[in-house]
Amino acid sequence: MQFSRLASYLNSLEETSSRNAITEILATLFAEAEADEIGKLCYLLQGRVCPLYEAIEFGVAEKFIFRAIASAYATDPDEVANQFKKLGDIGKAAETLHSGRASDMHVSEVFVRLYDLATTGGVGSQERKIGQLADVLKRVNAMSSRYIVRIPLDKLRLGFSEMTILDSLSWMLAGNKSLRPRLEEVYNVRPDIGFIAETVKREGIKGLSHVRARVGSPVLSQLSQRLPTADEMIEKMGTVAVEPKYDGVRVELHFKRGKWVRTFSRNLEDTTAMFPELSEVGKEIHADEVILDGEAVGLDPATGKTVSFQETTTRKRKHNIELFSKSVPLKFFIFDILYKNGEDLLEVPLSERRKILEATVKPGTLLAVTPQMVTDSAQKLRQYHDDQLKKGLEGAMVKKWDSPYEPGRRGFSWVKFKEEEGKTGKLTDTIDAVVMGYYAGEGKRTSFGIGALLVGVRTGEQFVTVTKIGTGVSDDLWKELKKKLHAIHTREMPSAYTKVNKALIPDVWVSPQVVVELAGDDLTKSPNHGAGYAVRFPRLVKIRTDKTPAQVTTVKELTQMFDNQMNHTKK
Ligand code: ATP
């Protein structure tokens, strides 16, 4: 496919906001694409040259693009900057300055050039890269230049996610969305949209039957459900393994002996740079290739006790990593094994995986196998959970003993057991919510310019309010929040927000980016909040830097929590 053809598809996509129409346009594009280019198309549609989990970034500044455009269209960078200022969009600036000469390049060729741009480094690479991009811009038509320059600056943003691409692949194959669940199931094991597209284009949906977990490619993390009491857990799950629930950072560890070790977060980010000490992990692993699932927790060297999530995640500030890894050494509590020496273990029951895990991980300074107890007694389960709380942990994780590993699923094979409902009158679980806006401070907080937050939960792709929070926030945290939120304030209410009651309109709207965890006494039905529920006595627990807005609590989950709460009060 020529790039000009792709550009006209991109143009239609840009002008469409209806999800269904977008799905159908993409399906037509995919039907028209050749098998050896559809994968590349999928990456380009996300403004990338590789799967999302690969840490390949362009890392170029606006000035770089100005110079490439100037060089391609025989003008100077200041003129490009002027056009950019006038039009407010780098793509339109390139299109306007385009020389008008019509020519074209193949999509695959543009892809290779962009890939080189993202991966070339070293001395003098900047000049070479500008030359490379300019050369591409000279050889494509005006509309193509609009899209090509947006990609390295991460400005393509067509407004749909990989889930929409999966829908479109289903449309291409079946003329409807019926294959989406199957495509998503495979995506959860191999979240590489280009690979999936190419496989189904070549072999149809049956081609996916031989897709397995592979070391180096993250598997989506299994997540947990909630149940109100130990009795209900045993009733629903039968025999369970129960483990401490650590308050750290989820780490999926991929190891290939003699080659590399890589880690991924539950959001599929490559987090390898956060854990330099893992270069030594081979000593504690008895396998040549392995994928392990676990939680990294900071250990206070003085007391040997685990430190909080906030301290553990301080590591995210990259420059401090070396220093921090000495003052707060990490322990990786491994609770699962997903793959070993070429064999995908996802379908193997937990009871068997645990044996394989114990034979594979030889605990040392870095790794520990998470302790566990296997039981079918609600009383023992409750006792185990209470013991964890006494040790200062969050609670327990309860896992169905004969269940397979379920990538990306929040099902009843894993249940988190925090506080038993009814015992303390508190919500069984905290709520993760997105900050939608904030109110100027009152009293002492006037000087901070922030005194309360308006937060919301998710319903489909939109957010609805669930509470205001003004307590549980230290002065330092208010200052941090103000800085974070001010940077993302918006003039209008973001279009992803819906059903916001007039009385709740905040002083400042912010775009949905910051996730906070909040605790409360209980949920009440509420006509004031779009969620239909309100949180009684809400307080902020922490900022969740490890979660994206797509991962906040949903209205459906709130309904479940509310029902759990009601069932319990009735008993
Ligand atoms: P929370 O907000 O309570 O941390 P969550 O909603 O972020 O929970 P869940 O799927 O509900 O995520 O809880 C599982 C999380 O708990 C995992 O992602 C992992 O980071 C953490 N965890 C700690 N200990 C364990 C364990 N033993 N087994 C599994 N997950 C554990």
Side-chain angles (χ1 to χ4, degrees):
M1 180 181 293
Q2 294 298 110
F3 202 92
S4 60
R5 180 84 183 136
L6 173 60
S8 52
Y9 274 107
L10 294 175
N11 189 42
S12 324
L13 287 166
E14 209 176 6
E15 285 171 359
T16 313
S17 58
S18 141
R19 182 106 352 223
N20 285 340
I22 289 177
T23 308
E24 288 181 38
I25 296 172
L26 286 172
T28 321
L29 166 65
F30 294 153
E32 193 179 319
E34 301 291 335
D36 60 1
E37 62 195 12
I38 191 171
K40 299 183 183 91
L41 277 178
C42 288
Y43 300 140
L44 289 174
L45 287 166
Q46 295 293 297
R48 295 186 57 90
V49 287
C50 55
L52 290 178
Y53 60 79
E54 293 290 355
I56 297 178
E57 306 290 342
F58 289 97
V60 297
E62 259 165 19
K63 279 202 180 124
F64 170 101
I65 304 291
F66 291 171
R67 288 182 57 199
I69 298 174
S71 158
Y73 304 141
T75 176
D76 65 276
D78 288 343
E79 174 54 17
V80 183
N82 283 341
Q83 285 293 336
F84 174 52
K85 236 189 195 159
K86 200 167 102 192
L87 301 166
D89 168 23
I90 191 70
K92 298 233 169 85
E95 195 172 6
T96 310
L97 293 165
H98 188 276
S99 59
R101 242 181 303 124
S103 57
D104 219 340
M105 272 173 94
H106 199 272
V107 167
S108 300
E109 205 187 337
V110 175
F111 178 89
V112 170
R113 296 300 192 91
L114 287 173
Y115 186 86
D116 285 347
L117 197 69
T119 50
T120 316
V123 188
S125 63
Q126 191 78 352
E127 292 306 314
R128 220 170 41 239
K129 284 160 95 168
I130 291 175
Q132 272 173 348
L133 182 60
D135 185 48
V136 172
L137 294 176
K138 264 187 223 157
R139 293 175 50 200
V140 296
N141 71 355
M143 194 192 273
S144 302
S145 74
R146 186 203 304 172
Y147 296 107
I148 291 173
V149 296
R150 283 182 190 166
I151 292 176
L153 286 179
D154 193 21
K155 295 273 190 256
L156 188 62
R157 311 231 176 116
L158 294 166
F160 56 82
S161 68
E162 296 199 323
M163 294 304 117
T164 304
I165 296 189
L166 292 182
D167 277 340
S168 309
L169 291 172
S170 173
W171 264 93
M172 171 187 80
L173 295 165
N176 56 44
K177 291 188 188 169
S178 62
L179 298 175
R180 156 77 187 266
R182 174 66 188 134
L183 287 158
E184 195 171 337
E185 199 181 347
V186 175
Y187 179 89
N188 289 345
V189 177
R190 282 281 289 281
D192 179 344
I193 197 78
F195 164 79
I196 292 179
E198 187 172 338
T199 306
V200 298
K201 183 84 192 182
R202 287 187 196 283
E203 304 170 50
I205 197 78
K206 65 178 187 320
L208 297 179
S209 60
H210 46 251
V211 177
R212 299 281 178 274
R214 202 175 66 154
V215 68
S217 161
V219 173
L220 266 87
S221 300
Q222 178 161 358
L223 300 171
S224 62
Q225 265 291 356
R226 304 173 181 85
L227 281 173
T229 62
D231 292 304
E232 277 166 77
M233 291 176 202
I234 295 297
E235 199 177 305
K236 191 158 184 118
M237 302 163 81
T239 303
V240 296
V242 51
E243 304 169 355
K245 185 174 193 304
Y246 298 103
D247 186 13
V249 184
R250 184 85 173 255
V251 173
E252 192 176 295
L253 194 156
H254 291 234
F255 171 75
K256 198 170 167 93
R257 187 168 303 284
K259 294 272 176 17
W260 41 253
V261 51
R262 292 179 72 181
T263 58
F264 297 97
S265 73
R266 57 186 263 184
N267 298 332
L268 300 180
E269 283 162 335
D270 185 322
T271 51
T272 313
M274 272 174 71
F275 308 115
E277 61 271 69
L278 284 179
S279 58
E280 300 292 314
V281 79
K283 292 181 199 149
E284 301 177 30
I285 294 177
H286 282 210
D288 288 332
E289 285 188 347
V290 75
I291 306 179
L292 302 172
D293 195 2
E295 185 90 348
V297 182
L299 279 190
D300 181 336
T303 62
K305 288 209 162 148
T306 59
V307 301
S308 75
F309 171 86
Q310 295 277 285
E311 278 180 70
T312 312
T313 48
T314 314
R315 285 213 169 201
K316 287 212 161 161
R317 296 175 199 148
K318 282 193 184 139
H319 51 279
N320 257 335
I321 288 177
E322 288 294 343
L323 210 71
F324 197 77
S325 60
K326 293 204 175 72
S327 60
V328 184
L330 288 189
K331 192 78 168 177
F332 296 81
F333 286 96
I334 306 296
F335 47 74
D336 222 318
I337 182 164
L338 315 187
Y339 169 100
K340 182 177 178 180
N341 295 342
E343 201 186 337
D344 173 327
L345 302 173
L346 299 174
E347 299 287 331
V348 175
L350 176 59
S351 50
E352 291 299 312
R353 294 204 306 280
R354 177 76 187 194
K355 281 188 211 146
I356 303 174
L357 174 62
E358 285 172 4
T360 308
V361 169
K362 294 292 162 198
T365 37
L366 293 166
L367 304 186
V369 176
T370 309
Q372 75 172 194
M373 176 185 78
V374 177
T375 185
D376 58 3
S377 144
Q379 196 204 334
K380 285 195 180 143
L381 180 55
R382 196 174 301 118
Q383 185 61 49
Y384 190 95
H385 163 261
D386 292 350
D387 290 346
Q388 305 314 309
L389 293 189
K390 279 189 209 132
K391 286 186 201 157
L393 293 177
E394 273 193 322
M397 287 297 293
V398 184
K399 301 174 180 180
K400 200 165 175 317
W401 193 222
D402 61 6
S403 62
Y405 190 91
E406 296 170 357
R409 278 207 58 202
R410 196 181 272 291
F412 285 99
S413 293
W414 281 19
V415 167
K416 58 181 153 185
F417 191 176
K418 284 184 162 175
E419 238 162 326
E420 234 176 334
E421 192 115 22
K423 259 187 157 178
T424 58
K426 286 184 192 151
L427 273 176
T428 23
D429 197 6
T430 50
I431 293 171
D432 295 317
V434 71
V435 181
M436 299 167 71
Y438 62 90
Y439 306 89
E442 282 168 17
K444 181 173 98 168
R445 292 181 198 148
T446 319
S447 60
F448 300 162
I450 184 169
L453 305 174
L454 179 67
V455 304
V457 292
R458 190 166 67 78
T459 172
E461 303 211 355
Q462 303 220 275
F463 298 99
V464 286
T465 71
V466 69
T467 190
K468 271 164 86 167
I469 330 177
T471 40
V473 188
S474 67
D475 287 0
D476 281 348
L477 193 52
W478 275 127
K479 284 184 203 153
E480 188 184 335
L481 275 165
K482 173 71 196 295
K483 211 163 134 203
K484 261 194 165 76
L485 297 174
H486 178 71
I488 53 168
H489 75 274
T490 59
R491 236 182 309 149
E492 308 280 333
M493 178 175 90
S495 59
Y497 302 164
T498 181
K499 296 198 272 184
V500 178
N501 188 323
K502 278 210 180 85
L504 290 170
I505 290 180
D507 295 322
V508 182
W509 289 110
V510 300
S511 77
Q513 292 184 30
V514 175
V515 177
V516 292
E517 180 174 348
L518 57 119
D521 273 14
D522 51 27
L523 288 176
T524 51
K525 288 224 163 172
S526 162
N528 297 331
H529 286 286
Y533 301 97
V535 183
R536 252 188 357 126
F537 301 116
R539 44 208 178 260
L540 191 104
V541 179
K542 58 194 167 209
I543 305 181
R544 293 292 300 242
T545 45
D546 61 330
K547 288 210 167 175
T548 65
Q551 292 166 329
V552 302
T553 306
T554 59
V555 172
K556 210 164 137 199
E557 287 177 86
L558 283 187
T559 306
Q560 237 176 30
M561 287 165 85
F562 184 76
D563 290 348
N564 281 347
Q565 180 183 303
M566 293 319 278
N567 286 342
H568 211 270
T569 356
K570 271 189 233 139
K571 277 183 193 164

